[in-house]
Amino acid sequence: MLTRKLKALKRQIVESQVWTSMFRHDYDDTPRNRFLQIMANVWLHLHPPKIRRHAIRVRFTWCMGGITFLLFLVLTITGVVLMFYYRPVGEYAYADMKYLEFDVPFGMLMRNMHRWAAHGMVITVWLHMFRVFMTGSYKSPREFNWVVGVILLTLTLLLSFTGYLLPWDQLSIWAVTVGTNMARATPLLGHEGPFADVVGVTPRYDARAFLLGGSVVGPPTLLRFYVLHCIFLPILASLFMIVHFWRIRKDGGISGPL
Amino acid sequence: MAEVRATAAAPAAKTKPAPTSAVKKAQLEDRVHVWPFLVRNEFICTLIVMVLFTVWSIVINAPLEEPANPANTPNPSKAPWYFLGLQEMLVYFDPWMAGVVLPSLVIVGLMVIPYVDINPKGSGYYTFRERPFAITTFLFGFLILWVTLILLGVFFRGPGWNLFWPWDRWDPHKVVALTNVDLASLDIGGTGLPFKWLGNPKIFGVELIGLTLSVLYLGVLPVVYYLWKKPTSPTLQTLGPVRYAIVVQLFLIMMSLPLKMFLRIAFNIKYVWITPWFNI
Ligand code: HEM
């Protein structure tokens, strides 16, 4: 009696105009629905509806590309939360970190997640490249996707590096100082690099000054790295990820033995 | 379907045998539904990763040190850990080389891999035997030159960028004798070898010694090897001179790091080639 009523209720809901406007197929496990689950869903249709059997083996891919992408999503979400409380200004930045840690509800958790996921993403992107190399998956027709991958690897490191400065503590400014000191030795473009006098670059007008917005790591650097970290690099990385995923499909899905 | 078309239209028809129709048919039949099989894996994987990072973030706090103070340089100042391999190279090369040229070449070198590795075998499965050179070179570069140097930088470098065991107390006053010499003035056992016997290298031209050695290493050595091996090596024949030149230059430049490490540790060599503009 009750089950019959429930069934009727379910039918009423599932056949209502609101429901059918959202969901275009039912959930029964039929081959048709398995296709539609993928094809009728904007997020899942990144996948093809069917793939070769070996491609779902964890032992083959180590899931590393997927985990890298997942961590990128985690970083985007926690990063937006942090942006609500953080001001990239010399006087405020460090205080805002303290505020996040002690006063903002779940602020510490968000900061920790963002930090550890960033470290994690650097490691997983290396492991992903390692796996792709070991399976020779960069070979024809996937050469170009490997190149896109190397760009993504570089962007991941740059994202991590620009973010490293933002807490504005001793660790961050000195790590970034050491990291950017090399730029002053850029051949031709850095004031301490080979042939610097030929080009005429000076400490205040060379590759490093361009990067830092000055001759030392100071408040202008903080603002510059903030913009790169929160706007420019994430957008660039997203664009290349779109290309990366698109190319996986266009190159015939994930590689495998003939 | 896109997959099939792309595989069939692969431009590598020259290097890779086109899949026969039997193979294509087998590929088509050995397929599984993404829903539920792949999506299920992704879901489980997501759960595990999220649980892991949540627990990690609850248990361990991200570091936050004293406020930034440009007047107080910590010793040692370390770059973020993933760049410590590059910082480690600064011990052996000047900044323009270790910090700019070599990192750029790492990126370029990685990008050209697919275009210079013409071995059609070992695509899409794990194998060592079918591509020993590629795998050995990559493992050496990645595990030894990248990962190991990072570990060295993270755990073994202390004040003054001196070596310490992880359990040592960091002594900022540790004295390490600076006994490095340049190759041209190296004097093994007072014999004047290898170059000291030439007389005052300044007069002979220190630049010439380094220049000659570099040309031998990057120019003559690969050409001799090419001419010697080409008649008997099908790999070199298909590789052709251009791709060979790219591979060999990148390979030798990569090997210049362990080479300089060896020269430093064995003979305290600082520079191999000195010029008024740059030193290597
Ligand atoms: C932000 C960084 C990256 C993301 C999010 C990403 C994501 C992915 C995903 C999800 C896949 C599907 C297969 C798998 O999970 O292994 C994949 C495949 C692939 N990735 Fe990446 N990747 C990234 C960086 C890289 C890098 C650094 C390289 C190489 C230098 C690379 C080269 C490739 C190639 C060649 C494939 C095709 C593999 C095959 O056909 O077996 N990717 N990537």
Side-chain angles (χ1 to χ4, degrees), chain A residues 27 31 34-35 37-38 44 47-63 67 70-71 74 94 97-98 101 108-109 111-113 115-117 119-120 122-123 126 129-131 133-144 146-147 150-151 153-154 157 160-161 164 167-171 173-175 178-179 182-183 185-187 193-195 249-253 255-258, chain B residues 1-4 6-7 10-12 15-17 19 23 27-28 30-39 41-42 45-46 49-50 53-54 56-58 60-74 77-83 86-87 90 95-96 98-101 107 110-115 117 119-127 131 134-135 138-139 142-143 146-147 150 277-278:
Chain A
Y27 193 74
R34 286 181 172 192
F35 262 79
Q37 282 293 0
I38 302 297
L44 290 178
H47 305 101
K50 276 179 125 186
I51 51 173
R52 292 172 59 196
R53 185 179 299 280
H54 74 93
I56 61 167
R57 288 212 184 105
V58 175
R59 250 180 309 150
F60 184 73
T61 64
W62 309 356
C63 284
I67 294 179
L70 171 65
L71 289 178
V74 170
Y94 185 78
M97 296 314 288
K98 288 283 185 201
E101 290 198 350
M108 190 78 202
L109 184 68
R111 172 158 192 248
N112 291 347
M113 278 277 237
R115 180 69 157 224
W116 301 137
H119 286 334
V122 170
I123 295 174
W126 288 351
M129 178 182 76
F130 187 75
R131 179 303 273 185
F133 189 93
M134 294 314 268
T135 54
S137 305
Y138 55 81
K139 299 192 178 194
S140 175
R142 296 182 181 78
E143 302 97 321
F144 184 65
W146 168 273
V147 176
V150 177
I151 295 172
L153 172 85
T154 316
L157 291 176
S160 204
F161 185 64
Y164 214 89
W168 206 234
D169 63 347
Q170 279 291 73
L171 192 65
I173 76 159
W174 291 105
V178 170
M182 324 253 190
T186 315
F195 310 113
R249 295 281 303 266
K250 293 294 147 185
D251 292 341
S255 65
L258 267 189
Chain B
M1 232 173 287
E3 284 72 20
V4 181
T7 323
T15 49
K16 196 176 181 177
V23 169
Q27 277 185 2
L28 272 182
D30 193 30
R31 280 168 179 260
V32 291
H33 286 283
V34 164
W35 180 283
F37 299 109
L38 178 61
V39 177
N41 278 8
E42 290 173 347
C45 190
T46 305
V49 172
M50 290 311 293
F53 274 90
T54 308
W56 184 3
S57 302
I58 290 173
I60 305 180
N61 283 340
L64 186 65
E65 298 187 354
E66 303 289 298
N69 179 0
N72 176 12
T73 313
S77 292
K78 291 191 182 184
W81 59 269
Y82 37 84
F83 285 152
L86 302 181
Q87 201 175 351
L90 282 173
W96 67 272
V100 184
V101 174
I107 295 174
L110 283 172
M111 281 185 181
V112 302
I113 287 177
Y115 303 99
D117 179 358
N119 178 358
K121 280 181 283 186
S123 172
Y125 53 97
Y126 292 97
T127 169
R131 40 199 288 256
I135 300 236
F138 184 78
L139 287 185
F142 185 68
L143 293 182
W146 190 250
V147 176
I150 286 176
W277 310 279
F278 59 86

Side-chain angles (χ1 to χ4, degrees), chain A residues 177 180-212 214-216, chain B residues 95-96 100 277:
Chain A
T177 304
T180 52
N181 266 349
M182 324 253 190
R184 62 173 157 215
T186 315
L188 301 175
L189 300 180
H191 70 275
E192 285 175 8
F195 310 113
D197 37 350
V198 180
V199 184
V201 285
T202 65
R204 301 193 49 190
Y205 196 78
D206 71 344
R208 181 167 182 272
F210 175 69
L211 206 63
L212 299 185
S215 53
V216 292
Chain B
W96 67 272
V100 184
W277 310 279

Side-chain angles (χ1 to χ4, degrees), chain A residues 6-257:
Chain A
L6 277 178
K7 264 196 187 135
L9 182 65
K10 182 186 165 198
R11 250 230 322 273
Q12 222 172 12
I13 295 174
V14 169
E15 285 171 6
S16 70
Q17 190 186 359
V18 176
W19 184 276
T20 51
S21 71
M22 284 194 282
F23 303 103
R24 292 297 158 90
H25 59 91
D26 52 26
Y27 193 74
D28 298 332
D29 188 13
T30 63
R32 183 172 179 274
N33 278 346
R34 286 181 172 192
F35 262 79
L36 288 174
Q37 282 293 0
I38 302 297
M39 302 299 277
N41 180 311
V42 67
W43 310 114
L44 290 178
H45 96 295
L46 206 59
H47 305 101
K50 276 179 125 186
I51 51 173
R52 292 172 59 196
R53 185 179 299 280
H54 74 93
I56 61 167
R57 288 212 184 105
V58 175
R59 250 180 309 150
F60 184 73
T61 64
W62 309 356
C63 284
M64 275 306 152
I67 294 179
T68 310
F69 184 52
L70 171 65
L71 289 178
F72 182 75
L73 296 180
V74 170
L75 286 162
T76 309
I77 292 167
T78 53
V80 168
V81 174
L82 295 179
M83 280 174 79
F84 289 141
Y85 300 97
Y86 174 85
R87 289 164 291 176
V89 179
E91 290 86 352
Y92 298 144
Y94 185 78
D96 287 345
M97 296 314 288
K98 288 283 185 201
Y99 176 51
L100 262 166
E101 290 198 350
F102 294 108
D103 272 347
V104 176
F106 299 106
M108 190 78 202
L109 184 68
M110 287 298 124
R111 172 158 192 248
N112 291 347
M113 278 277 237
H114 196 73
R115 180 69 157 224
W116 301 137
H119 286 334
M121 186 173 166
V122 170
I123 295 174
T124 55
V125 78
W126 288 351
L127 289 177
H128 173 55
M129 178 182 76
F130 187 75
R131 179 303 273 185
V132 171
F133 189 93
M134 294 314 268
T135 54
S137 305
Y138 55 81
K139 299 192 178 194
S140 175
R142 296 182 181 78
E143 302 97 321
F144 184 65
N145 217 13
W146 168 273
V147 176
V148 173
V150 177
I151 295 172
L152 281 171
L153 172 85
T154 316
L155 289 175
T156 306
L157 291 176
L158 288 179
L159 270 168
S160 204
F161 185 64
T162 49
Y164 214 89
L165 182 66
L166 304 185
W168 206 234
D169 63 347
Q170 279 291 73
L171 192 65
S172 47
I173 76 159
W174 291 105
V176 169
T177 304
V178 170
T180 52
N181 266 349
M182 324 253 190
R184 62 173 157 215
T186 315
L188 301 175
L189 300 180
H191 70 275
E192 285 175 8
F195 310 113
D197 37 350
V198 180
V199 184
V201 285
T202 65
R204 301 193 49 190
Y205 196 78
D206 71 344
R208 181 167 182 272
F210 175 69
L211 206 63
L212 299 185
S215 53
V216 292
V217 176
T221 320
L222 183 59
L223 185 56
R224 209 160 266 216
F225 273 39
Y226 175 81
V227 174
L228 289 175
H229 183 77
C230 301
I231 297 171
F232 183 71
L233 292 171
I235 291 178
L236 205 60
S238 308
L239 291 178
F240 277 100
M241 273 182 224
I242 293 171
V243 178
H244 197 58
F245 298 155
W246 169 258
R247 288 300 295 229
I248 296 175
R249 295 281 303 266
K250 293 294 147 185
D251 292 341
I254 187 169
S255 65

Side-chain angles (χ1 to χ4, degrees), chain B residues 172-265:
Chain B
H173 306 298
K174 177 169 172 170
V175 179
V176 178
L178 286 175
T179 52
N180 295 335
V181 295
D182 299 327
L183 185 63
S185 34
L186 179 67
D187 188 355
I188 297 177
T191 56
L193 290 173
F195 299 112
K196 196 77 184 295
W197 60 272
L198 292 171
N200 183 348
K202 283 251 149 47
I203 293 168
F204 183 77
V206 246
E207 293 95 348
L208 276 187
I209 297 177
L211 178 67
T212 315
L213 287 175
S214 304
V215 169
L216 279 178
Y217 180 65
L218 288 178
V220 178
L221 180 72
V223 171
V224 169
Y225 182 82
Y226 187 71
L227 296 177
W228 172 47
K229 280 282 179 189
K230 195 181 163 214
T232 54
S233 159
T235 314
L236 279 189
Q237 282 156 17
T238 27
L239 200 59
V242 176
R243 271 181 297 213
Y244 171 77
I246 296 173
V247 175
V248 88
Q249 292 303 314
L250 289 168
F251 181 78
L252 289 176
I253 291 172
M254 175 171 106
M255 295 315 279
S256 70
L257 176 61
L259 204 64
K260 266 207 95 175
M261 288 175 151
F262 170 76
L263 288 177
R264 174 68 56 84
I265 291 161

